[in-house]
Amino acid sequence: MSAEGGTKAIVAALVANLGIATAKFVAFAFTGSSSMLAEGIHSVADSGNQGLLLLGGKRAKRARTPQHPFGYGRERYFYAFVVAVVLFTIGAVFSLYEGYHKISHALDHPDEKMESAAWAFGVLIVAIIMESFSFRTAIQESNAVRGEQGWWQFIRRAKAPELPVILLEDLGALVGLILALGGVTMAVVTGDLVWDGVGTIAIGILLATIAIILAIETKSLLIGEGAGPEAEEQIVEALESVEEVDRVIHIRTQYVGPEEMLIAAKIAVHHDDTAAEVARGIDAAEGKIRAQFPEARLIYLEPALDEAQPKSPTPAAETPESEAPESEATDPEATDPEATDPGATEADSKPETPASS
């Protein structure tokens, strides 16, 4: 994901949420609706979250230091995780509490009615329209980078956290607005403010679900995710396509930032290659990897002799039996009469002397 695309979606969501939060609080002031208050807090939390994502993106650009030799790319993961925590604590927990409080109050005061409901309907409809534009921007930016992945796969596999976070936040905001609209509508139609509290609790459950999903995904990125099986297969193919590389013995990959991948591999080289040839092969292998994966900025290749699987048999093993030297094929017994009886001596071959009478 390009940083520019993520920033555009964040700014669009931030502007929309600030405007929506203001309108929701105005509607709450006129109606006293707990759903409007919960949605107002939700929008404030979302605005703070977008600010955190922008801050994380800025801090991640700092140059590496001796203390952080791989840079600060993971700060974007950290601030995305903080977003999940904020969404849960401020958004979900407050909504659940406010919903419970509203239901308890409505049961204790069954004659109370919602005042100035028109304000609530007007603000909710305007908020749905504004949130839809923000969601549309997030979808457009995501479509530019997700390829053929489905939406759930994109959220699970994306290495840059900003767009998945904005997508889930905007989706949650839209669904939350619809729940708030439903709660206010039922409260006006039935004259029972319990429905307003029910809508608020539903919003809290929704926010808690989104916060848990975000926390799980960003936690995985913080710990360190690899390139994935398909990407690693492509990396291995690129390495083994180099003439100086026999095969890849083992490989490890990890994203040290959303746009920075580390690759470490042990490669088997030819037994008779010189150091210069091995170095040229490593350079060629790194070039092929970076051509396919521009984010592979850190590549460490360790050459080794693969004793278990030599590249080719030795020349002696390739010599056909028919080409053996003629002297080795001759039977020594056929050419050396004495060889038939190793115990025979020169005396045994002399004629016997007749005995005297």
Side-chain angles (χ1 to χ4, degrees):
M1 183 196 82
S2 66
E4 292 76 11
T7 301
K8 182 178 179 182
I10 294 171
V11 171
L14 177 60
V15 172
N17 280 315
L18 287 174
I20 292 170
T22 302
K24 288 174 180 176
F25 283 126
V26 170
F28 166 71
F30 280 95
T31 64
S33 167
S34 64
S35 294
M36 295 307 304
L37 178 60
E39 274 299 302
I41 296 297
H42 178 191
S43 294
V44 169
D46 282 352
S47 299
N49 289 341
Q50 276 105 50
L52 288 172
L53 292 177
L54 291 173
L55 177 62
K58 183 178 180 180
R59 291 181 62 84
K61 294 178 181 178
R62 289 179 295 166
R64 67 183 183 90
T65 63
Q67 188 177 7
H68 297 90
F70 294 118
Y72 293 86
R74 285 187 177 176
E75 287 232 29
R76 288 165 67 180
Y77 298 149
F78 169 75
Y79 280 99
F81 185 79
V82 173
V83 164
V85 174
V86 170
L87 190 63
F88 183 82
T89 55
I90 296 181
V93 174
F94 178 83
S95 297
L96 291 172
Y97 167 78
E98 182 62 24
Y100 170 78
H101 176 74
K102 188 68 176 184
I103 292 175
S104 299
H105 182 80
L107 292 175
D108 293 336
H109 303 82
D111 296 332
E112 283 192 8
K113 307 296 180 185
M114 183 175 294
E115 300 177 358
S116 304
W119 275 95
F121 289 122
V123 167
L124 287 172
I125 293 172
V126 171
I128 289 174
I129 294 172
M130 295 178 66
E131 200 66 64
S132 297
F133 279 109
S134 174
F135 192 38
R136 177 174 173 270
T137 301
I139 290 175
Q140 288 177 337
E141 297 300 326
S142 300
N143 282 334
V145 294
R146 73 183 178 97
E148 297 180 356
Q149 297 180 94
W151 287 108
W152 182 243
Q153 287 182 320
F154 173 68
I155 291 171
R156 291 295 308 273
R157 298 180 182 179
K159 305 305 178 185
E162 289 84 359
L163 281 179
V165 169
I166 295 299
L167 278 169
L168 287 176
E169 279 193 344
D170 286 351
L171 176 62
L174 273 174
V175 176
L177 287 168
I178 294 171
L179 291 173
L181 184 60
V184 171
T185 301
M186 290 299 295
V188 171
V189 171
T190 63
D192 189 353
L193 292 181
V194 169
W195 287 104
D196 189 27
V198 170
T200 307
I201 289 179
I203 292 170
I205 295 172
L206 171 69
L207 295 181
T209 302
I210 293 175
I212 291 171
I213 293 173
L214 286 177
I216 292 173
E217 295 306 316
T218 52
K219 170 179 170 285
S220 177
L221 291 170
L222 270 174
I223 294 173
E225 288 189 355
E230 295 180 4
E232 286 193 0
E233 285 182 9
Q234 295 175 5
I235 294 171
V236 170
E237 289 178 3
L239 288 170
E240 294 181 344
S241 68
V242 176
E243 183 180 357
E244 290 82 0
V245 178
D246 262 347
R247 70 183 185 94
V248 174
I249 299 174
H250 62 72
I251 184 172
R252 300 290 185 273
T253 63
Q254 187 175 92
Y255 275 86
V256 296
E259 293 157 1
E260 190 170 5
M261 179 168 61
L262 175 130
I263 299 173
K266 189 170 186 178
I267 56 175
V269 297
H270 305 166
H271 289 234
D272 54 352
D273 276 358
T274 65
E277 290 172 331
V278 171
R280 283 195 298 269
I282 290 175
D283 290 341
E286 290 180 354
K288 287 197 171 187
I289 292 174
R290 290 194 173 100
Q292 288 184 262
F293 300 92
E295 69 272 23
R297 301 178 186 177
L298 302 166
I299 302 176
Y300 300 103
L301 301 179
E302 178 189 355
L305 297 178
D306 192 359
E307 300 294 345
Q309 295 185 10
K311 180 183 178 183
S312 57
T314 58
E318 294 179 348
T319 305
E321 185 178 353
S322 60
E323 295 182 8
E326 185 176 351
S327 60
E328 295 179 7
T330 307
D331 184 0
E333 296 183 2
T335 57
D336 187 1
E338 295 182 1
T340 59
D341 185 5
T345 62
E346 185 177 353
D348 294 335
S349 61
K350 292 180 181 180
E352 184 178 354
T353 303
S356 56
S357 57

